[in-house]
Amino acid sequence: MDNYLQQKRILVGITGGIAAYKTIELIRLLRKQDAEVRVVLTEAAAHFVSPLTLQAISGNAVSQSLFDPQAELAMGHIELAKWADALIIAPATADFLARLNLGLASDLLTTLCLATKAPIFIAPAMNQQMYAQSVVQQHLASLRQRGINIIGPNSGEQACGDVGAGRMSEPAEIFAALSASFVTAKPLLGLKVAITAGPTQEAIDPVRYISNYSSGKMGYAIAEAFAKQGAIVTLISGPVNLTPPQDVNVIKVTTAQQMWEQSMSAAVTHQIFIGCAAVADYRVADIAPQKIKKSGDEITLKLVKNPDIIADVGHLTAQRPFTVGFAAETQDVENYAKDKLVRKRLDLICANDVSIAGQGFSSDHNALQLFWADGNVSLPLTDKQHLAEQLVNLIINLYQKTNHNDEKN
Ligand code: PMT
């Protein structure tokens, strides 16, 4: 395995959470790769892990205060901020996230975060109820927008006995994310990925249409995440109000029929096809050539079925791409999703429960349950950019295990 961390200078910040004990293992992993590690503890963190242990494991004195003349003599806080190639704060508590987001410099760690030019990584850890609070999510979204890398959190049983999202990512996961950040090569260079996004609009007459609440945010975030890793991305987009991501080829469509045509030709030239669009299942049988005038108390529109794009891609017999569908459900999410996985002949389905407020259609956030032939995983509620990054990693993992490594031009 390539060692991207050798001689990299990693500043590990620890804030006051029960997960702090896991950070000892993270430091051990970093040191094993010959990374240089310096540790900064907040006042609260010192209640959970001892500076002496951290000093022994990191091989360097631990810094705890802005106002420690001894520590400043060894390496002043500005020097420390300049020294680091990367900062990782693990665990990052709700309090720390809030202070970081506000740009406070109320202790050594927040001051370092303001004073450094190095990339900052944070691994949040807190009770699931705290993590679900909209104010915490807002801080995370705003930090992410400022370019701060957020790792996790995971879902599961918590130290307090609760179950849910908020567990700090495992040291090996944090280590992998840090290591990957030093890889300069784009791992998906040349891989061709087609993605549908947004709604379709099905005309009723020249001034009215049938559509849905899809904003395109989820599909655009997936396109961006693939493009960042070097993939060649074609985004087949219904009408949305979004700026296309950089380095993505956008094909604009309006109706399901147009989306089907573009998708079928992209499917055979791309290695991965992802159907994230909310395609109208039906269209109006006879579009009125003129505006329909108000008349009578009722009006009947005859609807006919649209083609099922993702099912047609999934059932291709030649040049079939690795096919990923979405399922937007309001009930019985798992069963409906698994049914679509089989019926539409997909390699992976990403199910979202769109009945829950604050996620799914139009929201900046989402949570997904992923199902494939012999596995499943849940990606907890987070902003769509972060969710897309996690999803892309999983898709690539599954794709590499299949025989889809065919050449496509
Ligand atoms: O766009 P956002 O506001 O960010 O919201 C994201 C989202 C909720 C739209 C997205 O996460 C999502 O769930 N997309 C799929 C929505 C949907 O139409 O789900 P479905 O369960 O009705 O369809 C299942 C699958 O079949 C989907 O992959 C869909 O793209 C595809 N389909 C459906 C009908 C059709 N005629 N052709 C299709 O290809």
Side-chain angles (χ1 to χ4, degrees), residues 196-199 212-219 256 274-282 306-311 324-329 340 344 346 349-352 354 360-363 366 368 384:
T196 67
N212 57 65
Y213 294 112
S214 171
S215 62
K217 289 176 189 169
M218 190 71 245
I274 302 169
C276 186
V279 187
D281 287 322
Y282 294 90
N306 270 328
D308 190 319
I309 301 169
I310 202 78
V324 180
F326 269 71
E329 308 295 350
K340 284 176 184 167
K344 302 193 184 209
L346 307 176
I349 192 145
C350 316
N352 29 201
V354 292
F361 282 97
S362 290
S363 169
N366 207 5
L368 291 173
K384 285 179 176 169

Side-chain angles (χ1 to χ4, degrees), residues 91-113:
T93 59
D95 174 76
F96 176 78
L97 295 181
R99 288 188 294 122
L100 185 63
N101 188 34
L102 287 176
L104 298 185
S106 47
D107 62 8
L108 178 60
L109 193 53
T110 45
T111 304
L112 287 170
C113 289

Side-chain angles (χ1 to χ4, degrees), residues 195-200 211-224 235-245 259 276-278 326 360-364 366 384-385 388:
I195 302 159
T196 67
T200 64
S211 192
N212 57 65
Y213 294 112
S214 171
S215 62
K217 289 176 189 169
M218 190 71 245
Y220 274 55
I222 298 169
E224 186 171 15
L235 181 59
I236 303 162
S237 174
V240 297
N241 248 330
L242 299 174
T243 311
M259 190 174 271
C276 186
F326 269 71
F361 282 97
S362 290
S363 169
D364 288 336
N366 207 5
K384 285 179 176 169
Q385 283 69 28

Side-chain angles (χ1 to χ4, degrees), residues 8 14 34 50 66 97 160 164 212-213 215 255 277 285 311 317 352 386:
K8 290 287 181 288
I14 306 181
D34 283 334
S50 106
L66 254 180
L97 295 181
C160 55
N212 57 65
Y213 294 112
S215 62
T255 65
T317 47
N352 29 201
H386 183 221

Side-chain angles (χ1 to χ4, degrees), residues 20 76 96 138 157 165 189 194 205 208 265 271 286:
F96 176 78
Q138 280 160 18
E157 197 171 330
L189 212 61
D205 67 13
R208 303 180 181 96
S265 76
Q271 283 105 342
D286 299 302

Side-chain angles (χ1 to χ4, degrees), residues 22-102:
K22 289 195 202 172
T23 309
I24 296 171
E25 172 62 6
L26 171 65
I27 297 168
R28 198 190 63 76
L29 291 171
L30 291 168
R31 294 278 286 143
K32 218 173 133 195
Q33 297 297 95
D34 283 334
E36 261 189 79
V37 178
R38 288 183 177 269
V39 180
V40 173
L41 272 184
T42 63
E43 203 182 324
H47 294 289
F48 294 92
V49 270
S50 106
L52 210 59
T53 309
L54 294 165
Q55 180 174 316
I57 203 96
S58 69
N60 278 311
V62 171
S63 308
Q64 286 181 266
S65 162
L66 254 180
F67 310 107
D68 177 349
Q70 279 310 105
E72 286 289 300
L73 215 57
M75 190 182 273
H77 63 275
I78 298 295
E79 268 173 283
L80 197 55
K82 286 184 182 159
W83 169 86
D85 290 320
L87 268 67
I88 165 73
I89 292 91
T93 59
D95 174 76
F96 176 78
L97 295 181
R99 288 188 294 122
L100 185 63
N101 188 34
L102 287 176

